[in-house]
């Protein structure tokens, strides 16, 4: 009897202590009586007032306010709130609870309440952060290249895929298995990697890797007319690829951003996959102009591109120097009928040159309503120009505006999600050195909302990460091939496909692309 | 027994002392001759206590050894600690090898001949010779040591039962492969020798061969993103460059060859003593005198002598000189740079570049440029294309000194691309960003450096600059660089940076370093006219007097152009002395009837430090 009584007592005391502990943890939430501070709290990354995809990974952050204790409540109209309390300002949101909350609250607001406790034990709270949760999901994957800030040399790089719904990042291809060559310009047809290309340069694996109809091939797109292709764009019929052919050189400034790029000559060619043929038209490979950055419309009835005059028109009168800071590209488009392979007339969409701006990187939204492009003070390589900003054109009326997503630094390499509601772009606004992917929501009225950076499991990850995220492109699913298949195709010289040149091209256009003749034209000193 | 016991005890004690002495000498050699601080200078091993740094090493076999090596290599920063580390690793490797040999002998129920001691210590000589190579990284040595340790573990722990033995072998092989990559090869070969010649088990032997091939193959095919050759050879040093080229093979194959030789000898040859003792005359002599204590002492002397000789012959002293110069230059110890150059010479392009930099920093470039052989022309100032691409940080340093900040940034970023986030690169980039007012970028570099225990203090120092601009203003060195920075833009000339110097000087006439470099580039590039024109334009009386080479160049110019008079910026006495010297120079040439080949010895001896000698003998070849 006495033993049972003592056991029972112990049990009751144990339960009592559990209750005390439980109450002390969950009991009095500090939000109610806390003094309300006037300003929103500073979060790093800045996830204040952003529209959130309902399927995004947890947006962990650091509360940039000094305190002894932090209390965070993440809630919405439906579902259980997420409550976190810690003496560390790092907020790591439980993934499952986050997913459930977002899933249950599409179209609602996500509310983040933050309170801090000072040394005296007093609680203060910040005004509630309201982040709308979009109805529309974002594509599940993001592909990008990771490189160190690029100059002339490179060593390590790779193309990666990140699951946007989790934190999982996996390398698709690392250059340590391709003889440390360069790989870039990955591009997908309709955000679907079932049809994709990317380029590799240097070594035995050089070429354009093409995945088409489940078959992987390496294609040499160089012909007597053109060098190997660069910037790509898929026609929606999945049989045509528009490729620019460029002659880029890097040069360096003594003040400001040191890097700059000059294109000595460019054209656009079309690679017909089924015919294995490179073709073009004077409309997009005119010797009177330099054309680049092709982008098909979603219906394939227009090809958008950028165009400027040849370099010799930018020379000083005495030919001693080049007015490189006046090289500006207009935004153009030309109609095209794939069935008959005929081109229409070229239209000028954005006379950037007359506005003393250079237009680059046109990307049409998959629904065909909008066109995202860059405008910068000059040049066709905006990633090195802090003046590079994103603009959005409404294709129904051709009016365009500068987006509020821009910062004081460059915004470039933008691309759309498959549902046209989200776009991603590269920006160096975080540290001024390395580009990170930022996502922005475009609502049905064409308003772009405040962008947010790609979430990471450790919210301080970007602080010490020196790799640049290059060419972020959203995908609806992961890469369907693995690196072994890719390297097998890349290194098998017997399977190299050499593109043929359309016989019509030879007769219509000069055999050689227009390029500045070295003895006449300016070029920066050789490296 | 009792009569021999004291003798045996004494022998054991002497052996112990001998071993201690050998390891102590090993330690001293690594510390004082090689100087692990120069490993740090060359390899710049980086270690950050961050999750993202750690994660990189999990994605390939051998990554964990790389991670451990990255951590331990921080000890190279302190020379004696680095030497102690290498000594300990060498001791552990040798101990494993020693135990393995003894285990084999025990299993064969034979005694080991005394000559084994000598052979084992020769192993140490090989370790020293690979470490003579300043590009030999610690991960190779660690992988090697791990392979020996795990091979010993297998031989000690492998059960009798064949199936279990196979499982133990494979289990250890898989773990070792993930940790140490291609070091699996050494482990496999040692275990194979053991199994064939000691245990005599065919099935286990076959498993070893098959397993050692399959494990890397399968890992490349199904598990890791590495190509097939890398799957087999990662962390094997055979792709590295050593002098002589056979060295990594000798190092790696030594344990298996010795083990095989020993095991065969024990199995086949009954005697327990040196074969040489069987020879007539010599054998009797050795039997009488080469035994016991005298043998121990003789072995030690032979080993130490041979060891030093081999180490000396394989040591790359030229590269050590360069590393020393680079270390001193990085720490801005210009007097030491000059002193080392005077002592050891500066005959290659890299050392020429560093010496010229030191001279310029001391304001002596136009006085003493030709006191050091200038075989490389302008490349001796700014480095040729191949060299600057191989050592971009040095190019960045020069540009930084000149105030050509964007070019300093360009080249440090090339250095980061090539070598990664090395502390030296990050420190340079942090200061560049600070000077350019790019505080966020500077903070980023400091944040990364802060994760390295060795550089935390440095980063803490410069964090304060981000919040207090007056610290930068009052920092003499940085303020001087900032004052030299270009204010208006121009396009940088990568292949002929001397052209940028004119721009820098035009914008900042007080940029003395640019003045020195520009003058030197004109002289080295045989651009005499420009040199004569530039000098009065940019020279300031606050500089260190009229440089000797200016006077020498002026005399050449006057002779060639038949100019009667030129601006005289120096004292008449100095000028007259120079004129006399020039006449003497020409007289010597005349004495040899203008045959400069015959005159070279004398002219080099008496006038080798002049511009005239350079023009006559070195200028054309240095600019090719």
């Amino acid at each position: 009897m006495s033993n049972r009584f003592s056991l029972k007592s112990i049990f009751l005391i144990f339960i009592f202590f559990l209750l005390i502990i439980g109450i002390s943890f969950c009991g009095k939430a500090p939000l109610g009586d806390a003094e309300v501070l006037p300003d929103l709290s500073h979060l790093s990354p800045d996830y204040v007032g952003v529209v959130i995809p309902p399927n995004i990974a947890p947006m962990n952050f650091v509360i940039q306010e000094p305190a002894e204790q932090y209390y965070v409540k993440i809630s919405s109209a439906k579902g259980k709130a997420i409550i976190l309390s810690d003496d560390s300002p790092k907020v790591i949101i439980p993934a499952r609870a986050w997913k459930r909350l977002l899933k249950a609250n599409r179209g609602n607001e996500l509310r983040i309440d933050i309170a801090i406790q000072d040394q005296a034990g007093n609680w203060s709270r910040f005004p509630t952060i309201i982040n709308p949760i979009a109805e529309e999901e974002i594509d599940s994957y993001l592909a990008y290249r990771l490189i160190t800030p690029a100059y002339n040399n490179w060593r390590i790089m790779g193309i990666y895929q990140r699951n946007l719904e989790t934190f999982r990042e996996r390398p698709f291809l690392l250059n340590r298995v391709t003889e440390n060559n360069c790989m870039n310009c990955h591009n997908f047809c309709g955000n679907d990697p079932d049809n994709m290309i990317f380029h590799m340069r240097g070594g035995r694996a050089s070429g354009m890797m093409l995945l088409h109809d489940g078959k992987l091939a390496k294609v040499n797109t160089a012909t007597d007319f053109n060098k190997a292709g660069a910037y790509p764009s898929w026609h929606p019929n999945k049989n045509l690829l528009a490729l620019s052919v460029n002659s880029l050189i890097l040069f360096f400034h003594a003040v400001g951003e040191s890097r700059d790029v000059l294109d000595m000559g460019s054209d656009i060619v079309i690679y017909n996959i089924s015919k294995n043929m490179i073709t073009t038209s004077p409309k997009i490979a005119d010797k009177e102009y330099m054309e680049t950055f092709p982008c098909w419309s979603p219906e394939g009835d227009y090809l958008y591109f950028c165009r400027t005059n040849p370099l010799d028109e930018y020379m000083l009168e005495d030919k001693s120097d080049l007015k490189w800071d006046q090289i500006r590209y207009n935004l153009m488009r030309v109609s095209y009928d794939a069935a008959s392979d005929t081109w229409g007339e070229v239209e000028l969409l954005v006379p950037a040159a007359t506005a003393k701006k250079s237009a680059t990187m046109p990307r049409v939204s998959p629904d065909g309503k909008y066109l995202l492009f860059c405008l910068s003070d000059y040049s066709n390589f905006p990633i090195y120009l802090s003046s590079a900003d994103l603009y959005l054109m409404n294709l129904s009326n051709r009016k365009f505006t500068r987006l509020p997503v821009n910062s004081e630094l460059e915004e470039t390499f933008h691309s759309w999600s498959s549902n046209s509601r989200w776009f991603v772009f590269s920006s160096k606004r975080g540290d001024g050195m390395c580009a990170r992917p930022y996502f922005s929501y475009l609502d049905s009225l064409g308003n772009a909302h405040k962008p947010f950076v790609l979430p990471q499991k450790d919210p301080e990850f970007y602080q010490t990460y020196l790799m640049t995220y290059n060419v972020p492109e959203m995908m609806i699913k992961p890469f369907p091939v693995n690196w072994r298949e890719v390297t097998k195709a890349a290194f098998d010289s017997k399977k190299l496909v050499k593109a043929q040149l359309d016989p019509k091209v030879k007769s219509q256009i000069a055999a050689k692309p227009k390029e500045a003749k070295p003895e006449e034209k300016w070029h920066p000193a050789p490296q | 027994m009792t009569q021999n016991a004291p003798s045996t005890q004494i022998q054991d004690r002497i052996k112990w002392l001998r071993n201690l002495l050998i390891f102590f000498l090993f330690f001293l050699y690594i510390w004082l001759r090689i100087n692990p601080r120069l490993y740090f200078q060359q390899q710049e091993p980086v270690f950050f206590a961050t999750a993202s740094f750690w994660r990189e090493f999990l994605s390939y076999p051998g990554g964990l050894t790389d991670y451990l090596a990255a951590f331990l290599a921080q000890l190279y920063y302190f020379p004696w600690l680095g030497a102690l580390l290498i000594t300990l690793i060498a001791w552990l490797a040798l101990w494993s090898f020693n135990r393995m040999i003894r285990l084999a002998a025990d299993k064969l129920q034979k005694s080991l001949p005394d000559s084994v001691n000598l052979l084992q210590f020769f192993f140490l000589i090989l370790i020293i010779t690979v470490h003579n190579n300043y590009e030999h990284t610690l991960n190779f040595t660690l992988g090697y040591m791990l392979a020996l340790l795990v091979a010993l573990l297998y031989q000690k722990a492998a059960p009798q039962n064949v199936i279990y033995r196979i499982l133990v072998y494979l289990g250890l092989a898989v773990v070792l492969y993930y940790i140490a990559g291609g070091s699996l090869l050494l482990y496999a070969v040692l275990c194979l020798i053991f199994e064939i010649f000691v245990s005599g088990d065919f099935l286990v032997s076959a498993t070893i061969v098959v397993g050692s091939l399959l494990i890397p193959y399968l890992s490349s095919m199904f598990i890791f993103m590495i190509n097939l050759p890398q799957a087999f050879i990662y962390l094997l040093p055979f792709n590295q460059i050593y002098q002589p080229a056979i060295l990594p093979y000798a190092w790696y194959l030594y344990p298996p060859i010795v083990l095989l030789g020993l095991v065969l000898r024990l199995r086949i040859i009954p005697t327990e003593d040196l074969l040489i003792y069987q020879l007539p005359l010599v054998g009797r002599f050795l039997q009488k005198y080469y035994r016991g204590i005298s043998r121990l002492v003789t072995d030690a002397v032979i080993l130490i002598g041979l060891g030093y000789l081999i180490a000396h012959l394989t040591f790359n002293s030229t590269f050590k000189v360069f590393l020393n110069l680079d270390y001193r230059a990085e720490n801005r110890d210009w007097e030491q740079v000059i002193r080392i150059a005077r002592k050891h010479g500066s005959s290659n392009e890299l050392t020429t570049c560093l010496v010229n930099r030191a001279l310029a920093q001391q304001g002596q470039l136009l006085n003493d440029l030709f006191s050091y052989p200038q075989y490389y022309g302008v490349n001796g100032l700014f480095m040729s294309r191949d060299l600057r691409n191989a050592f971009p940080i040095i190019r960045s340093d020069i540009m930084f000194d000149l105030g050509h900040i964007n070019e300093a940034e360009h080249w440090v970023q090339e250095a980061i691309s090539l070598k990664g986030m090395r502390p030296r690169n990050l420190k340079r980039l942090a200061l560049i960003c600070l000077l350019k007012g790019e505080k966020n970028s500077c903070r980023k570099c400091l944040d990364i450096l802060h994760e390295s225990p060795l550089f935390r203090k440095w980063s803490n120092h410069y964090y304060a600059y981000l919040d207090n601009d007056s610290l930068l203003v009052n920092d003499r060195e940085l303020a001087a660089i900032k004052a030299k920075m270009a204010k208006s833009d121009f396009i940088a000339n990568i292949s002929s940076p001397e052209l940028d110097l004119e721009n820098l000087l035009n914008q900042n006439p007080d940029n003395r370093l640019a003045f020195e470099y520009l003058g030197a580039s004109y002289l080295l590039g045989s651009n005499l006219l420009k040199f004569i024109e530039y000098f009065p334009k940019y020279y300031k009386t606050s500089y260190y007097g009229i440089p000797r080479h200016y006077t020498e160049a002026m005399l050449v110019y006057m002779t060639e152009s038949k100019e009667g008079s030129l601006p005289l910026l120096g004292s008449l006495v100095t000028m007259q002395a120079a004129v006399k010297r020039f006449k003497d120079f020409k007289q010597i040439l005349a004495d040899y009837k203008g045959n400069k080949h015959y005159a070279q010895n004398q002219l080099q001896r008496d006038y080798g430090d002049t511009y005239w000698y350079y023009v006559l003998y070195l200028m054309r070849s240095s600019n090719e």
Side-chain angles (χ1 to χ4, degrees), chain B residues 552-572:
Chain B
E552 289 166 3
M554 204 163 65
L555 287 167
V556 173
Y557 179 75
M558 286 169 72
T559 306
E560 286 179 0
S561 69
K562 313 268 188 271
E563 278 277 346
S565 61
L566 274 171
L568 181 62
L569 297 174
S571 76
L572 192 59

Side-chain angles (χ1 to χ4, degrees), chain A residues 412-476:
Chain A
T412 59
F413 283 114
H414 40 280
S415 63
W416 292 93
S417 66
S418 56
N419 59 11
S420 307
R421 287 276 76 85
W422 301 93
F423 61 91
V424 63
F425 60 93
S426 284
S427 175
K428 294 181 187 173
R429 65 187 66 189
D431 57 24
M433 196 187 299
C434 301
R436 309 288 180 226
Y438 283 79
F439 300 90
S440 175
Y441 177 70
L442 191 79
D443 62 30
S444 54
L445 298 176
N447 299 313
H449 292 255
K450 180 178 175 183
F452 61 90
V453 77
L454 174 69
Q456 298 288 350
K457 191 169 184 181
D458 177 3
E460 291 176 322
F461 172 78
Y462 293 120
Q463 224 169 302
T464 54
Y465 194 56
L466 201 53
M467 300 292 269
T468 263
Y469 289 74
N470 188 232
V471 192
E473 293 275 343
M474 285 191 261
M475 303 188 290
I476 56 175

Side-chain angles (χ1 to χ4, degrees), chain B residues 310-359:
Chain B
I310 293 174
H312 180 72
L313 289 172
T314 56
F315 186 73
N316 189 341
S317 52
T318 308
F319 200 60
K320 184 180 178 183
V321 169
F322 158 67
L323 288 176
N324 253 326
L325 287 172
D326 189 38
Y327 172 68
R328 299 290 174 185
E330 186 191 346
N331 289 284
R332 308 186 81 78
D333 190 351
W334 309 118
E335 282 188 19
Q336 280 300 318
V337 172
I338 304 290
R339 186 192 65 79
I340 293 170
R342 278 207 193 105
K343 186 177 174 189
H344 296 284
S346 55
S347 55
N348 66 48
E349 191 179 324
L350 267 177
T351 51
T352 302
C353 195
L354 291 172
V355 168
N356 287 341
R357 187 176 166 215
L359 288 172

Side-chain angles (χ1 to χ4, degrees), chain B residues 576-615:
Chain B
Q576 283 175 338
V579 167
K580 182 183 180 310
R581 207 169 172 222
F582 189 45
K583 278 185 179 165
D584 291 343
F585 179 89
K586 288 197 291 186
Q587 185 56 53
I588 291 171
L589 201 53
D591 291 346
Y592 285 94
K593 295 184 176 32
N595 188 322
K596 63 179 195 178
H597 175 70
Y598 290 139
Q600 185 166 10
N601 278 345
Q602 186 174 354
L603 286 176
Q604 186 176 23
R605 192 181 62 233
D606 298 335
Y607 299 96
D609 63 343
T610 63
Y611 176 62
W612 313 316
Y613 182 85
Y614 173 78
V615 168

Side-chain angles (χ1 to χ4, degrees), chain A residues 148 151-153 155 171 174 176 252-256 431 433 436 462-463 465-466 483-484 525-527, chain B residues 59 220-226 388 406 410 413-414 417-418 436 441 444 447 489-490 492-495:
Chain A
T148 50
Y151 281 71
N152 277 316
N153 294 312
R155 189 174 56 99
L174 299 175
R176 72 181 181 213
F252 301 93
H253 294 274
V255 178
D431 57 24
M433 196 187 299
R436 309 288 180 226
Y462 293 120
Q463 224 169 302
Y465 194 56
L466 201 53
W483 70 273
R484 288 178 194 87
Q527 300 286 332
Chain B
S59 67
S220 171
M221 286 292 120
F222 300 107
I223 306 172
F224 300 106
M225 192 183 297
I226 46 170
R388 63 177 180 253
N406 270 15
H410 166 199
Q413 288 283 16
E414 301 285 15
S417 291
L418 281 178
K436 288 179 74 171
S441 304
K444 187 182 194 72
D447 285 344
D489 193 22
F490 56 89
N493 197 313
I494 309 300
S495 56

Side-chain angles (χ1 to χ4, degrees), chain A residues 402-417:
Chain A
R402 181 177 177 274
L403 289 177
V405 304
N406 291 296
S407 68
E408 288 176 2
L409 298 177
E410 50 269 51
E411 277 73 35
T412 59
F413 283 114
H414 40 280
S415 63
W416 292 93
S417 66

